[in-house]
């Protein structure tokens, strides 16, 4: 796998990629035309905010499978174009949480103690002690809008400064707010009660100009406000008015609507306004964290098939990763196994998750089943990104069902695939919590290791079939690794599942099919399933 790193990245990130077995080229500041040419040779690209990964670049990257952003913002990546091409887009949302939260607190303290202004004055030879009278944070109420990763860490830091933290986040459960030691309040109440306000939401239609003249009117006189999230959440014009009238005593911005901020921006003329040039995430530690995170995510994706931090496929939280990983392998094998036994168009897929597995994050497992089901049909065009889209395009209805009871097992995945007049059923489990096993196929109890090349034979339940099949394979030098025989109910056909060291030729398969007691024989190839 060839990876292009096209913006400067901490060498430790590059080292993780190389240790993961990738060939890495670091080529920064490539002109557009050169990037369009170079990208053709790469399976993955890592960027920060510099490289513009446009639809044109994505289309030129014929081998491209993954785009990684070391950091959070994806303004420079055309995610829609990537999804259309089945390319995974990942970012590293947690990598700069601490750094940005610390910057927020730094702005809070700088603003309340007028540190930047005092520093300029002192360096200019002044000693203006009374001019820089400050305000304590101790016991003051801090209102946080947005209680995601950064909001949560700011809470911890502010509690350490003995501030009373109240918060507004309509998408956060009250239990989570309680766990964080925050009093969850409505937005109006937050505006009315807070001595300091800090915003930590993304910029959306809902949050654009969330703090405007009308909101400011509800606030305490002398409130102080920080924006270390995204430019535009606070209306810059209304903030200028409020700072000029001193309704808002001070404000501190790390982000602006337009960046770099124009030197003649009105806010920059105000003494009670302090700012930094979008450096919330700019520490050596954060840059290293995001570089290492994106590199590890690449390694996990290519080597284990697990997508963490993916923005266009179900993401797997890191703590769930180790539990999910073996089930993902089982799910994809089940899908592929089943697809190779079906000749008709698939109409409906129902996945029952039974027992302990039902408590896991199921979306990646269902995606893996769909990928397995569609790969024998669509080959390379299908992957974990586009499998659900392709299934939908093909009119396949997908359902997930959870059951607490897994019968004789602690966990079981039961797959029903409706195709034509038949609904096929396949049961899979993890043996020893890690090794995939098929334990039932269309009501035949088996114990099959789903890997490599297999031969499935339905035969009339009479003596001699196993011997005949073994002889035909032996005569053509096809070695049997394992064999399973399941009788179904009395009078039914038997199912013979044979694992082979290598696949027999079609001629050998025909010979087997011609045997009188053989009802049907099929090859299943799982050798390419990771
Ligand atoms: P996050 O996704 O973990 O948290 C965002 C939170 O905002 C979520 O809990 C969400 O429920 C909440 N939210 C969404 N809409 C809301 C609304 N209308 N009202 C209230 N809450 C709402 O993100 P994060 O990592 O905590 O980042 C927060 C912000 O900080 C983002 O805008 C991010 O881009 C920005 N950021 C800035 C810098 C910087 O350099 N200054 C660095 C990193 C992140």
């Amino acid at each position: 796998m060839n990876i292009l790193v096209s913006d400067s990245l901490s060498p430790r990130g590059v080292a993780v990629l190389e240790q993961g077995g990738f060939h890495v080229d670091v080529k920064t500041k490539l002109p557009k035309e050169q990037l369009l040419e170079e990208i053709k040779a790469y399976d993955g690209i890592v960027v920060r905010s510099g490289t513009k990964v446009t639809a044109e670049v994505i289309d030129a990257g014929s081998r491209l499978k993954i785009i990684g952003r070391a950091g959070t913002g994806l303004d420079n990546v055309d995610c829609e174009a990537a999804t259309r091409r089945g390319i995974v887009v990942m970012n590293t949302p947690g990598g700069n949480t601490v750094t940005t939260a610390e910057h927020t607190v730094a702005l809070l303290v700088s603003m309340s103690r007028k540190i930047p202004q005092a520093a300029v004055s002192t360096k200019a030879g002044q000693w203006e002690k009374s001019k820089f009278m400050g305000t304590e944070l101790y016991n003051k109420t801090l209102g946080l809008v947005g209680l995601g990763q950064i909001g949560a860490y700011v809470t911890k830091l502010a509690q350490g400064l003995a501030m009373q933290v109240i918060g507004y986040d309509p998408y956060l459960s009250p239990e989570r707010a309680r766990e964080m030691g925050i009093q969850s309040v409505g937005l109006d109440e937050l505006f009315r009660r807070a001595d300091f306000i800090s915003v930590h939401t993304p910029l959306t239609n809902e949050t654009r100009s969330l703090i405007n003249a009308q909101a400011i009117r509800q606030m305490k006189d002398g409130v102080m406000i920080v924006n270390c999230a995204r430019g535009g959440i606070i209306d810059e014009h209304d903030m200028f008015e409020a700072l000029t009238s001193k309704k808002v005593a001070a404000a501190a911005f790390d982000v602006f609507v337009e960046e770099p901020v124009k030197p003649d921006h009105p806010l920059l003329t105000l003494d009670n306004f302090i700012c930094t040039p979008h450096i919330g995430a700019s520490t050596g530690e954060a840059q290293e964290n995001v570089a290492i995170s994106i590199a590890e995510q690449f390694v996990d994706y290519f080597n284990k098939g697990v997508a963490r931090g993916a923005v266009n496929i179900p993401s797997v939280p890191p703590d769930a990763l180790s539990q999910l990983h073996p089930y993902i392998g089982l799910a994809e094998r089940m899908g592929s196994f089943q697809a190779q036994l079906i000749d008709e168009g698939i109409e409906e897929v129902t996945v029952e998750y039974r027992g302990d597995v039902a408590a896991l994050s199921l979306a990646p497992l269902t995606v893996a089943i769909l990928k397995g089901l569609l790969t024998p049909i669509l080959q390379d065009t299908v992957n974990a990104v586009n499998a659900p889209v392709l299934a939908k395009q093909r009119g396949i209805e997908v359902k997930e069902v959870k059951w607490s009871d897994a019968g004789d097992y602690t966990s079981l995945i039961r797959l029903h695939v409706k195709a034509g007049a038949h609904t096929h059923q396949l049961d899979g489990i993890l043996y020893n919590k890690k090794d995939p096993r098929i334990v039932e196929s269309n009501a035949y109890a088996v114990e099959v290791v789903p890997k490599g090349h297999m031969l499935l034979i339905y035969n009339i339940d009479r003596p001699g079939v196993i011997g005949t099949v073994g002889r035909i394979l032996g005569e053509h030098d096809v070695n049997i690794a394992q064999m399973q025989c399941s009788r179904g109910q009395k009078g039914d056909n038997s199912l013979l599942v044979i694992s082979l060291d290598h696949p027999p030729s079609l001629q050998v398969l025909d010979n087997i099919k011609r045997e009188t007691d053989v009802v049907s024989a099929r090859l299943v190839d799982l050798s390419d399933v990771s």
Side-chain angles (χ1 to χ4, degrees):
M1 294 287 175
N2 293 336
I3 307 294
L4 174 64
V5 174
S6 64
D7 289 322
S8 69
L9 191 77
S10 157
R12 288 194 54 194
V14 175
V16 171
L17 286 169
E18 285 172 341
Q19 282 152 17
F22 301 113
H23 172 83
V24 185
D25 290 319
V26 181
K27 297 177 186 174
T28 59
K29 299 200 168 83
L30 288 175
K32 183 182 158 198
E33 290 312 316
Q34 202 183 334
L35 177 61
L36 284 171
E37 197 45 45
E38 297 264 0
I39 195 74
K40 294 177 183 160
Y42 293 96
D43 302 275
I45 179 170
V46 178
V47 302
R48 284 177 52 202
S49 56
T51 306
K52 305 271 175 274
V53 191
T54 59
E56 208 183 343
V57 172
I58 288 166
D59 287 339
S62 45
R63 288 176 55 164
L64 209 54
K65 297 169 189 67
I66 186 165
I67 299 166
R69 160 75 160 102
T72 310
L74 283 159
D75 319 353
N76 55 323
V77 178
D78 189 331
C79 293
E80 240 183 84
T83 305
R84 272 200 306 275
R85 282 265 333 271
I87 294 169
V88 180
V89 180
M90 290 179 170
N91 65 357
T92 57
N96 48 30
T97 299
V98 168
T99 278
T100 310
E102 286 186 357
H103 194 68
T104 304
V105 173
L107 288 177
L108 203 60
V109 179
S110 302
M111 178 177 67
S112 65
R113 302 302 297 267
K114 304 180 180 145
I115 290 170
Q117 299 91 327
V120 170
S121 155
T122 311
K123 283 185 171 178
Q126 313 288 317
W127 198 253
E128 304 179 288
K129 283 172 73 97
S130 57
K131 184 173 174 188
F132 298 118
M133 185 65 70
T135 305
E136 279 186 353
L137 302 180
Y138 174 78
N139 219 11
K140 297 285 173 10
T141 299
L142 172 64
L144 296 179
V145 182
L147 300 170
Q149 306 207 60
I150 295 171
Y153 199 72
V154 169
T155 301
K156 270 196 197 170
L157 298 179
Q159 285 164 343
L161 293 167
M163 298 187 85
Q164 309 297 324
V165 184
I166 59 174
Y168 169 73
D169 188 328
Y171 306 107
L172 188 84
S173 70
E175 296 84 68
R176 173 76 185 116
R178 262 197 300 279
E179 267 168 36
M180 287 161 66
I182 291 182
Q183 191 192 348
S184 187
V185 295
L187 197 55
D188 291 347
E189 184 179 346
L190 183 144
F191 289 154
R192 275 200 314 275
R193 285 178 51 191
D195 302 300
F196 294 85
I197 293 175
S198 185
V199 293
H200 299 284
T201 67
L203 179 66
T204 62
N205 286 338
E206 235 181 294
T207 61
R208 194 180 304 279
S209 292
L210 186 89
I211 294 189
N212 56 15
Q214 197 200 349
I216 292 169
R217 269 197 295 277
Q218 301 179 57
M219 295 177 191
K220 283 185 177 176
D221 292 342
V223 64
M224 296 190 191
I225 300 177
V226 177
N227 185 1
C228 206
R230 279 289 174 263
I233 298 172
I234 298 177
D235 186 288
E236 291 179 354
H237 171 266
D238 292 357
M239 183 50 67
F240 176 82
E241 298 292 326
L243 286 166
T244 307
S245 72
K246 304 278 180 356
K247 165 75 186 178
V248 174
F253 283 14
D254 182 49
V255 286
F256 291 85
V257 171
E258 198 185 331
E259 294 180 3
V261 65
K262 292 255 166 54
D264 60 353
H265 193 297
L267 280 172
L268 304 187
T269 63
L270 299 176
D271 270 350
N272 52 352
F273 178 76
I274 63 168
C275 55
T276 47
H278 203 150
I279 53 169
S282 302
T283 60
E285 292 87 344
Q287 294 313 310
E288 200 162 288
N289 281 345
V290 294
I292 293 172
S293 294
I294 199 71
E296 289 175 345
Q297 288 168 215
F298 268 43
V299 173
D300 277 349
Y301 182 69
F302 280 117
N303 294 351
K304 298 184 195 160
V306 175
R308 284 187 292 126
V311 296
N312 56 353
I313 51 172
S315 180
V316 181
D319 47 348
L321 182 68
S322 54
Q323 271 182 305
L324 269 180
H325 183 233
Y327 282 110
I328 289 175
L330 169 66
E332 187 172 345
R333 279 163 200 282
M334 287 177 67
S336 180
F337 186 96
Q338 190 64 87
Q340 294 179 62
L341 301 179
I342 294 176
D343 292 321
E344 293 159 294
I346 298 173
E347 293 155 41
E348 201 178 292
V349 174
T350 305
V351 193
E352 290 180 27
Y353 294 98
R354 292 175 165 259
D356 292 354
V357 65
L360 301 181
S361 154
L362 299 179
L365 303 187
T366 304
V367 170
I369 285 186
L370 293 177
K371 177 173 179 255
L373 272 169
L374 294 175
T375 300
I377 304 162
L378 304 174
Q379 293 301 326
D380 286 351
T381 39
V382 59
N383 56 38
V385 179
N386 62 11
V389 180
L390 292 177
K392 201 168 171 193
Q393 276 172 3
R394 299 170 74 82
I396 301 174
E397 198 183 332
V398 182
K399 295 182 195 156
E400 279 175 3
V401 187
K402 296 182 191 183
W403 298 93
S404 52
D405 179 21
D408 293 340
Y409 306 100
T410 49
S411 283
L412 175 97
I413 299 179
R414 175 165 290 168
L415 173 62
H416 304 268
V417 179
K418 184 172 183 302
H422 302 283
T423 297
H424 305 261
Q425 186 193 307
L426 194 70
D427 287 2
I429 61 150
L430 285 180
Y431 176 72
N432 269 343
K433 295 191 179 160
K434 59 182 177 35
D435 300 322
R437 293 282 188 275
I438 305 280
V439 290
E440 199 173 304
S441 171
N442 289 332
Y444 286 89
V446 287
E447 203 196 316
V448 173
V449 180
K451 68 172 196 188
H453 299 278
M454 280 171 287
L455 180 58
L456 266 79
I457 298 173
Y458 285 97
N459 60 279
I460 296 168
D461 190 12
R462 272 201 285 259
V465 180
I466 295 177
T468 307
V469 172
R471 177 182 50 75
I472 297 174
L473 291 171
E475 280 170 4
H476 294 86
D477 211 20
V478 181
N479 195 39
I480 293 176
Q482 239 191 10
M483 189 183 284
Q484 281 269 319
C485 183
S486 174
R487 304 187 85 158
Q489 282 155 23
K490 200 169 180 323
D492 276 355
N493 296 326
S494 287
L495 171 65
L496 201 55
V497 186
I498 305 173
S499 300
L500 303 165
D501 284 353
H502 63 267
S505 66
L506 291 178
Q507 175 68 52
V508 175
L509 187 63
D510 274 346
N511 290 352
I512 292 172
K513 283 181 184 170
R514 273 201 293 273
E515 286 298 321
T516 41
D517 287 340
V518 170
V519 178
S520 69
R522 276 185 182 266
L523 287 173
V524 172
D525 179 3
L526 295 178
S527 56
D528 282 342
V529 184
S530 52

